[in-house]
Amino acid sequence: MVDLGDFDDYSADEGDGDGTADDTEPIDSSESDAFERTAVEPRGEDSGVGTITVSEGLRIGEDDDETTLRAYVTRGNRASVRIGTYLLASYPDGESLFCRIASLEYAQQFHADDATEIHARRAMRSDGIDESEYKFVASLEPVAVLYTEGGELKRRMTDRVPKPQTVVREATDSAEIKTGLKIPEDGVFLGHLSVGGETVTTAASPPTIDYRLKDDYEAGDPLVFRHSLIAGGTGSGKTHAAKNVLRQYLADERTYPMDDGRTAQAAVVQFDPQDEYAQMHDDNPELDDEYARRLEREGVAYGGHEDTIAFVPTVGSASYAAGHHRAEQLEFTIPFSMVHENPWLVAGSGLNDNQYGALTSVLLPRFENQYGPEATYEQFTSFLDDPALREELDESGRVHEATFDAVRRRVLGFGHVFDQDAQPITDLVSEFVRPGGLTVVPTYHITDSRAAETVVLALSSLLIDQKLSNDPTYDRIKETPLVLGMDEAHNFLTDADSVQAGKVIRKFTEAAKQGRKERLGLFLITQDPQDIDDAVFKQINTTVVLNLGDEDAIKSVNIPSNLESKVPYMEKGQMVVYSPDNSEPVELIGLSRCLTRHGRD
């Protein structure tokens, strides 16, 4: 093979020794007419990152595939622009097109075939490329048109095309960016706006752009009552993020108007399978004075929440250890009387429709009539052990003996769940639901998953039933704004094919539909969003997605495709927020420090 590696050793001064003109002495340039060099750089200073081009068309359409919007990026700006960067292109009348970079590409300035050996080896021996030989073009996605009305910056849908050669500049003003993305000025703090994992900064103080969720009735309903989902894999920071959001709902100044004219703080009830949220009672020692001042400047609530109580379910011989937090603890039990309102609590997950009908229409009503509404689980099992009852119901045709036996088998095994040696939760409702208070229900100490599931579903059903009732037994629940938090929600709201699962899903779906009116917000946390039933998922308005590695999980959260592709690569604390009634879809970086105590020593 011929070695082409010596082409760079050739000098025009050497000649080739054949006696021709190129062997003569070089001409002294001083003796000839010298050419005057012409400056190619334009005079003045550049402003912006580039200009709108029309080389491949310039079109704004109602559909994305009808839009062609591209900008030439000048050499000095190429290293700093990123996909997702927000830009502004001004119209002659003072309005501006707010857009984001959707793609970036190099193109040849002049037609040439650079897929050759000589081009490749030249590049391999050089220190870099000559940017002047290439075009660098950004494809832009229009987001909104910004305009001023009555001295106020507003936005509307994109309805006009910018002029050719319009200068595009990076959006660096907080007001322009927040207006362009429809981010509320006030509300519940989630994090700071970012692009590609880097925080968006401005010249203001603080330089970051805070992202908040609407939390008043001026422009619709508070989004807390439109329901939220935090999804993230193990180690993504979802519990850290959830604690920080819940801390904002517990701020002293955050209240909601009630139908009777008063205002009230929300009560937060958080189901906690990993025993992490009771730590919200304690301060985070890593929050130093400087960091605290920064939080105060941004209006972010921080510090341990004193009104935090761990409601510990008494289940059999399970014991609860609380060395990792200083919150008050209060033990309780689930009374069997709650089963009369929610029979599926004692049905497990194995009853078919015929068996469930026998339980709800025949056995439980007869038991209540015979023993009274406050009868215990032990009495119920004794009631089912009566062979005369089994024979009577079979002979009367009301319940076949095989159905009776199946029901009896399914309802056994709850003796360690109901009516334990502690106060019934129905006697503790005023302590359980407290305006401005955080109630944490840990279940980590319960090793029986069926028992833990029964406790969580019994308590959540109590709260939902009372919230939706027109004639509630417990006015405290009905008259208090309520955030119902559920970690590992996929374990309770799955779309499993069973009577119990169907009842649970219908209850939570109805709660979600009525949440705005009843001031009830679901706050779901999960690492497996694909397992949450679609009927519940459809009611979620705000989805916060941290790192997820599972493709099915990523697809299930229904975020825009341009953000979906970033999810597997996000670092801890990075998140995507999709909340159509709040803002455009955005990337955020959460606070690096938890606002309350987090993690175990």
Side-chain angles (χ1 to χ4, degrees), residues 132-148:
S132 64
E133 295 181 3
Y134 299 92
K135 302 175 185 178
F136 190 69
V137 181
S139 295
L140 308 181
E141 175 189 319
V143 177
V145 171
L146 305 186
Y147 65 100
T148 302

Side-chain angles (χ1 to χ4, degrees), residues 274-350:
Q274 296 300 321
D275 197 12
E276 297 174 290
Y277 291 87
Q279 290 181 319
M280 291 182 65
H281 172 274
D282 305 333
D283 291 336
N284 183 356
E286 296 181 1
L287 290 185
D288 54 35
D289 292 342
E290 180 180 352
Y291 199 85
R293 285 192 295 269
R294 171 188 161 190
L295 296 173
E296 290 170 358
R297 286 196 301 269
E298 295 197 56
V300 178
Y302 68 93
H305 188 64
E306 185 175 354
D307 188 6
T308 299
I309 301 178
F311 267 69
V312 181
T314 300
V315 175
S317 59
S319 60
Y320 177 72
H324 57 291
H325 68 79
R326 297 193 299 272
E328 178 186 351
Q329 300 166 52
L330 191 57
E331 294 186 351
F332 72 94
T333 187
I334 304 295
F336 186 73
S337 58
M338 293 179 66
V339 172
H340 295 297
E341 293 294 329
N342 295 286
W344 44 269
L345 289 173
V346 77
S349 60

Side-chain angles (χ1 to χ4, degrees), residues 343-351 356 359 407 409-412 414 418 450 453-454 457 498-504:
W344 44 269
L345 289 173
V346 77
S349 60
L351 293 184
Y356 188 77
L359 174 66
V407 172
R409 286 195 302 271
R410 298 296 190 280
V411 302
L412 294 178
F414 288 94
F418 296 107
R450 186 171 75 154
E453 182 178 357
T454 301
L457 294 179
S498 69
V499 173
Q500 184 189 40
K503 297 290 184 181
V504 172

Side-chain angles (χ1 to χ4, degrees), residues 44 47 85-86 112 126 168 172 175 217 236-237 250 259 267 279 303 332 449 486 525 533 535 554 572 584:
S47 63
T85 298
Y86 299 110
S126 66
V168 293
T172 57
Y217 285 93
S236 65
L250 293 165
D259 292 336
Q279 290 181 319
F332 72 94
S449 60
M486 182 176 286
I525 305 147
D533 188 87
I554 296 172
K572 185 174 182 177
E584 297 287 338

